Amino acid sequence: MKDTFKHRGMRNKLVDTIASKGITDKKVIEAIRAVPRHMFMDSSFEGHAYQDKAFPIAAGQTISQPYTVAFQTALLEAKAGDKILEIGTGSGYQTAVLLFLKFKVYTIERQLELFKKTSLFFKKMGYRPKKAIFGDGYKGLPEEAPFDGILVTAGAPTIPKALLSQLKIGGRLVIPVGDENQIMTLVTRKSEKEFEKEEFGAFRFVPLLEDKN
């Protein structure tokens, strides 16, 4: 698949849509404008790539809605060079947005089929996360901690303690919390023992599951 003028025009419209929903972070908007979302989907579904909606991919997972990707990324408030842990690589679209923003990205996927497919795709496209790992997102990545930000792309019934412990002081964890519907939650680490929690409304995600599959 190529990235054509037509695709870029569709991305411009998509950017107008997410901006109209309240995304104001200019760098995040530029990332959505730049990253070719259609490349992360099966070519037969290319027509759906620039609609602001989630879409099924392999292994019963989804490629997140562009608004959600932008919303979560903006909540991180990260800057170029920051160390970011992504839980749930999925199609790699969110990873690519984080990489466009020049974050050092460590990403974990628990579905082996998706992990293999996305790892090959990253190589082919020249996307270079610091590490792409097949593993259990509930455990995070203690050997690379602490992180400036942790972004979770699946709904967790509760906030995993391991992820809190892997945040830098001042670091931010963005995670959808809940069973059927999730509340987008931001946890900021204020000190060794103190965390501040804020909530940002309801979203829908696939569940965050433990162990590798």
Side-chain angles (χ1 to χ4, degrees):
M1 268 199 281
K2 293 198 173 97
D3 189 27
T4 64
F5 278 122
K6 182 184 166 196
H7 292 122
R8 290 197 277 277
M10 288 159 87
R11 280 204 295 285
N12 285 334
K13 282 191 182 152
L14 175 62
V15 159
D16 292 343
T17 302
I18 65 166
S20 73
K21 292 181 179 181
I23 301 294
T24 57
D25 187 314
K26 286 190 172 66
K27 287 185 173 145
V28 171
I29 282 175
E30 277 318 299
I32 300 292
R33 198 190 301 280
V35 175
R37 188 173 184 250
H38 65 282
M39 302 272 203
F40 296 81
M41 295 165 68
D42 191 298
S43 58
S44 52
F45 301 121
E46 198 182 341
H48 296 272
Y50 297 110
Q51 295 173 19
D52 189 27
K53 62 181 189 185
F55 203 78
I57 54 170
Q61 303 302 297
T62 58
I63 180 170
S64 289
Q65 181 183 353
Y67 169 74
T68 305
V69 169
F71 191 88
Q72 285 195 284
T73 307
L75 271 188
L76 275 178
E77 287 187 6
K79 58 191 185 304
D82 278 358
K83 227 172 137 175
I84 305 297
L85 174 62
E86 178 191 34
I87 308 294
T89 317
S91 68
Y93 175 63
Q94 171 76 75
T95 321
V97 167
L98 298 172
L99 288 169
F100 178 84
L101 293 164
K102 299 189 166 59
F103 305 154
K104 292 174 181 157
V105 183
Y106 297 76
T107 184
I108 302 178
E109 176 55 57
R110 69 178 287 280
Q111 299 280 358
L112 188 58
E113 176 193 355
L114 258 186
F115 171 75
K116 286 178 173 170
K117 190 176 171 185
T118 304
S119 297
L120 281 172
F121 175 74
F122 282 163
K123 284 194 181 83
K124 188 175 131 196
M125 294 290 290
Y127 289 116
R128 291 192 180 85
K130 285 282 175 195
K131 275 190 180 174
I133 291 139
F134 172 57
D136 181 353
Y138 263 84
K139 293 177 179 154
L141 202 57
E143 65 271 26
E144 297 292 347
F147 295 96
D148 297 292
I150 300 176
L151 191 153
V152 181
T153 64
T158 57
I159 298 169
K161 286 200 168 60
L163 299 186
L164 293 174
S165 72
Q166 289 169 38
L167 273 182
K168 265 184 196 169
I169 291 169
R172 295 159 79 90
L173 165 66
V174 176
I175 181 168
V177 181
D179 292 315
E180 286 295 307
N181 285 312
Q182 293 87 29
I183 300 296
M184 191 64 74
T185 305
L186 168 66
V187 182
T188 307
R189 186 169 201 169
K190 294 296 192 183
S191 67
E192 208 51 48
K193 300 245 166 99
E194 192 191 355
F195 296 86
E196 179 183 277
K197 191 167 104 172
E198 296 171 76
E199 294 182 340
F200 292 88
F203 285 78
R204 283 199 81 152
F205 283 81
V206 294
L208 178 67
L209 302 171
E210 290 191 67
D211 301 321
K212 296 183 259 194
N213 186 19

